[in-house]
Amino acid sequence: MQSRWDDAEAQALIDHYGARSFSADLALRIYSTRLLGRDKRLVLHGGGNTSVKTRMHDLNGELVDVLCVKGSGADMAAIEPGGLPALRIAPLRRLRTRETLADADMVRIQRANLIDPAAPNPSVETLLHAFLPATYVDHTHASAILSVVDQVDGMARAEEIFAGRMGVVPYIMPGFALAKAAAAIFDAAPKVDGLILDKHGLFTFGATAREAYERMIAAVSLAEARIARARRRVFANAALPGNIASATALAPILRGACSRAYATREGAWQRPILELRTDAQIRHFVDGGRLRDFALRGVVTPDHAIRTKNWPLIVETPVAGGLNEYKPYARATVDAFVARYRSYFEHHNARVGGDRRMLDPMPRVVLVPGIGLYGLGPSKKDACIAADIAQAAIEAITGAEAIGRFQSISEADMFAMEYWPLEQAKLGAASARPLAGQVAAITGGAGAIGAATARAFCAAGAEVALIDIDLARAREVAAAVGGGAVAIAADVTDAPAVTRAFDAVVENFGGLDILVANAGAAWQGRIGEVEEKILRASFELNFFAHQRCAQAAVAIMRAQGTGGCLLFNVSKQAVNPGADFGPYGLPKAATLFLVRQYALDHGADKIRANGVNADRVRSRLMTPSFIAERARARGLGEADYMRANLLGYEVTADDVAQAFLHHALALKSSGDVTTVDGGNIAAALR
Ligand code: ZN
């Protein structure tokens, strides 16, 4: 591992923060914290922290000695001064004389000593930083160090490799007791560069930011060198079937198996988002003949438990053509996982007094021999975090097995960490947005209605895929919508392109719950004279594309077995034809009937089908020149033309989006059509 320290970059940050009245001490603390945070081999998702001891003015203007330590929830890779809250250090150090300190008291005392009372909670490892005398203290859960210490004899191996350069601390859960023990070990050997924490990670320290950082790199490099000298092929392959099913075919089945119906609301499901990872190292691990043995021994560092649980779910390799039988197998395997989790919880909860509430028991990581690993979470972001951590765990376990025998902390220690209220706080308040965990695909996603619908669905917590023939524009819309929306190119009148697009939705999110079949275009022509090819072109886009996309969606939804929602942009033309709009209205009338046919044929699959009849919405169909021409033909101004309805309001793309959102949430409505036209009795459904 190479040092990435660069004096010019460090100076640039000193100048940047100096201009904002932050000290050089803090600027350098920010610089090396970012260096550590940007290397996944060192730090992942809150697994690490740093501090600096310095002086600053408190709110009374008095100069005080402080510890600036990483705050809970701050991302080390992009840390700012606000992510390193300052605490008065003297009262923290006095705590060392105590025998014990309850976690709740520790948190209260830390908060009481914040210079800024509005600052975030300081790290749960704050006292360890405070009790060590060095100006700069760095802490990571580097994978290579975990390979060395996650061993039956981890402490002895660390002693051997670091030969007195690092102190070695036995496993103790983070908090006051660990801080005291670490400080005592440092006091006994104050010349060390840092401390190795058995089954947890390492601390390095120094008089300068650079010294602490370079010692981190040196210590991790020593561990890496030890692993590099070990054997390369660690796991012997299992015999896998030759005709393995595709990850795209498997994902919806796994997603369905890892979903649960809410007991409190019929028709509502708790669904995970899936993130697939696979590469040579992952395959070497998951394809191993003794995967169950290695993968089920526990976490590689305690704070992984809250993200990935203590164990992954392992499923058998799916065989192409055998997925119908695989579905009940996957469900039974998830049920067994949940039952094991429940008994683990009940056993340890009873042991510690029975006052904890069981967390969501569903798996967060699924390992599939022959395919790779899936990270699971209530959002794409959470799924990626679980996948990142699972990947780091595979790296650490592979390294550990290369040099010895991987061993985790005890189940009781894992429970203590997983159910530690201070650790739970890292996850933040779970968002209970109404479409959380649901995946929506929107065709015509780059148009006005597609974009407005994407915004509304993202705001409601859904993961959104924008499918459009214009990829560049769809990307712009996805970027503007934010919330992790993705853009996928497809001409929905082309069957292979539709197949590829829905495969891409599954690759991104693991499945699909809501289809908004929205792509359309208006063809005109007097029906007695119009060319047949115009009529056929309109049917291709305004009817067959809806049918093709709905079929693709239904196939995914049925594989999941958790229902679904099909939404069609129908148009008022379907019930109230406009003069010369036959080529547009006829396929839309067929699409109106399609809504009812899907509602009828797939109600048994718990798939709902509903339509929205919008009228006169500014969009790619209703271009400014089109509007001007229609308004002129009616002898109206443009604004009056757009408001020519019973309410006298102009209908916007956002109004249409709200109707789609309503149907996505209305769990007991199917076969319905909602009008969004400002009121038009001639277009009313009866
Ligand atoms: Zn730690």
Side-chain angles (χ1 to χ4, degrees):
M1 176 167 286
Q2 297 291 314
S3 165
R4 294 185 185 175
W5 188 278
D6 179 326
D7 280 328
E9 283 179 14
Q11 187 58 47
L13 278 196
I14 292 174
D15 296 343
H16 174 81
Y17 287 108
R20 289 157 185 77
S21 329
F22 292 107
S23 67
D25 286 354
L26 194 62
L28 289 168
R29 178 65 288 172
I30 286 168
Y31 175 57
S32 66
T33 300
R34 288 181 184 172
L35 289 183
L36 296 171
R38 284 170 190 170
D39 192 330
K40 286 190 170 191
R41 294 168 298 174
L42 295 173
V43 170
L44 272 181
H45 306 297
N49 41 64
T50 59
S51 68
V52 59
K53 297 174 185 79
T54 182
R55 306 188 87 190
M56 65 166 60
H57 294 280
D58 67 9
L59 297 180
N60 288 333
E62 288 165 17
L63 202 57
V64 289
D65 288 323
V66 295
L67 173 76
C68 295
V69 64
K70 200 200 87 165
S72 217
D75 174 6
M76 286 173 67
I79 201 150
E80 293 286 343
L84 287 157
L87 302 93
R88 288 168 199 280
I89 195 164
L92 299 184
R93 284 188 163 149
R94 283 200 293 277
L95 292 170
R96 214 186 140 184
T97 59
R98 297 206 192 186
E99 279 304 308
T100 59
L101 179 63
D103 292 332
D105 291 336
M106 180 177 83
V107 171
R108 281 158 58 86
I109 290 168
Q110 287 176 5
R111 281 214 68 82
N113 284 290
L114 284 167
I115 298 297
D116 175 0
N121 269 336
S123 157
V124 297
E125 279 155 340
T126 292
L127 291 184
L128 210 164
H129 288 265
F131 292 171
L132 293 169
T135 305
Y136 286 87
V137 178
D138 295 6
H139 170 48
T140 75
H141 302 157
S143 301
I145 296 291
L146 295 175
S147 294
V148 170
V149 296
D150 287 356
Q151 300 280 344
V152 180
D153 55 349
M155 290 185 64
R157 283 169 183 270
E159 303 272 12
E160 180 200 314
I161 290 174
F162 296 103
R165 277 178 65 182
M166 305 283 283
V168 180
V169 183
Y171 180 77
I172 300 171
M173 195 175 126
F176 178 71
L178 174 60
K180 264 195 85 152
I185 286 164
F186 172 79
D187 285 350
K191 294 225 155 39
V192 294
D193 295 347
L195 299 171
I196 302 287
L197 274 54
D198 192 28
K199 313 282 189 286
H200 176 162
L202 78 162
F203 280 78
T204 56
F205 23 81
T208 64
R210 181 166 191 172
E211 186 176 45
Y213 171 77
E214 301 280 7
R215 285 173 170 178
M216 175 67 67
I217 300 303
V220 175
S221 298
L222 259 182
E224 284 180 338
R226 174 67 192 89
I227 297 162
R229 287 199 306 275
R231 61 207 160 103
R232 283 262 162 263
R233 265 211 91 70
V234 182
F235 308 113
N237 269 9
L240 297 178
N243 52 338
I244 299 173
S246 73
T248 317
L250 173 66
I253 293 174
L254 282 182
R255 183 165 181 255
C258 293
S259 298
R260 284 293 176 269
Y262 279 112
T264 48
R265 191 165 179 228
E266 205 170 26
W269 292 81
Q270 179 194 321
R271 304 164 165 109
I273 304 300
L274 270 58
E275 164 75 2
L276 173 67
R277 297 283 169 85
T278 188
D279 64 17
Q281 185 173 53
I282 293 170
R283 286 292 300 276
H284 177 52
F285 185 79
V286 301
D287 294 3
R290 289 171 56 210
L291 173 65
R292 272 164 208 286
D293 174 13
F294 300 121
L296 299 178
R297 284 188 208 159
V299 290
V300 298
T301 185
D303 88 333
H304 285 188
I306 54 161
R307 303 287 195 180
T308 60
K309 303 210 163 295
N310 301 321
W311 312 280
L313 170 73
I314 301 172
V315 294
E316 281 171 18
T317 306
V319 176
L323 289 173
N324 277 343
E325 300 78 56
Y326 196 88
K327 236 168 111 170
Y329 156 77
R331 283 193 174 266
T333 309
V334 174
D335 287 347
F337 180 96
V338 170
R340 190 199 166 188
Y341 186 85
R342 193 178 295 279
S343 74
Y344 149 82
F345 170 78
E346 283 167 359
H347 170 71
H348 291 285
N349 188 37
R351 194 176 48 76
V352 300
D355 62 342
R356 312 296 163 88
R357 276 185 58 186
M358 192 175 82
L359 299 166
D360 173 17
M362 302 307 280
R364 288 287 180 271
V365 176
V366 181
L367 305 181
V368 193
I371 289 186
L373 75 83
Y374 289 93
L376 280 69
S379 68
K380 172 77 174 179
K381 188 170 166 242
D382 292 307
C384 288
I385 290 175
D388 283 347
I389 289 177
Q391 228 176 319
I394 285 175
E395 189 185 344
I397 295 170
T398 304
E401 282 291 322
I403 60 172
R405 184 180 144 74
F406 168 61
Q407 190 188 55
S408 178
I409 52 176
S410 73
E411 205 180 91
D413 283 331
M414 285 191 260
F415 179 85
M417 199 63 187
E418 189 180 1
Y419 283 87
W420 191 26
L422 270 50
E423 193 67 8
Q424 288 298 323
K426 280 190 188 173
L427 294 175
S431 81
R433 290 186 292 171
L435 293 181
Q438 296 204 48
V439 179
I442 303 171
T443 72
I449 291 172
T453 305
R455 277 197 301 276
F457 280 36
C458 275
E463 307 293 339
V464 170
L466 296 156
I467 299 173
D468 203 281
I469 197 166
D470 184 346
L471 182 62
R473 179 82 191 104
R475 282 192 173 137
E476 282 171 32
V477 171
V481 165
V486 299
I488 296 168
D491 172 356
V492 287
T493 64
D494 176 40
V498 168
T499 302
R500 284 195 300 273
F502 283 80
D503 280 353
V505 173
V506 171
E507 280 158 24
N508 271 286
F509 302 113
L512 176 67
D513 308 295
I514 302 164
L515 167 69
V516 182
N518 167 64
W523 276 268
Q524 295 183 61
R526 206 167 165 210
I527 198 65
E529 298 154 9
V530 70
E531 281 182 75
E532 187 173 312
K533 71 173 187 192
I534 290 178
L535 209 48
R536 286 188 185 276
S538 183
F539 262 90
E540 268 306 321
L541 181 58
N542 292 315
F543 173 73
F544 283 106
H546 288 282
Q547 159 63 358
R548 199 172 285 127
C549 292
Q551 269 196 351
V554 163
I556 299 167
M557 290 168 182
R558 293 190 69 213
Q560 291 167 161
T562 54
C565 175
L566 304 175
L567 298 172
F568 298 86
N569 189 344
V570 178
S571 164
K572 76 107 197 176
Q573 291 291 334
V575 285
N576 173 219
D580 297 340
F581 264 102
Y584 181 57
L586 285 163
K588 286 292 190 181
T591 297
L592 176 68
F593 209 83
L594 192 67
V595 172
R596 296 171 176 181
Q597 201 67 51
Y598 270 101
L600 177 63
D601 287 354
H602 290 284
D605 296 319
K606 312 295 185 199
I607 294 171
R608 301 181 293 113
N610 294 296
V612 170
N613 278 5
D615 191 28
R616 238 169 260 190
V617 181
R618 293 181 198 271
S619 66
R620 283 187 292 194
L621 271 68
M622 295 268 295
T623 59
S625 62
F626 178 88
I627 292 168
E629 179 205 313
R630 303 294 297 177
R632 239 188 341 267
R634 305 266 179 105
L636 293 172
E638 274 179 41
D640 286 336
Y641 170 72
M642 293 305 285
R643 293 168 185 276
N645 54 50
L646 297 178
L647 295 171
Y649 291 141
E650 179 174 337
V651 179
T652 68
D654 287 321
D655 295 321
V656 182
Q658 285 305 311
F660 282 128
L661 180 61
H662 155 74
H663 275 301
L665 296 170
L667 297 178
K668 309 297 157 63
S669 296
S670 194
D672 187 30
V673 177
T674 295
T675 56
V676 188
D677 56 11
N680 177 351
I681 283 301
L685 288 142
R686 66 201 129 178

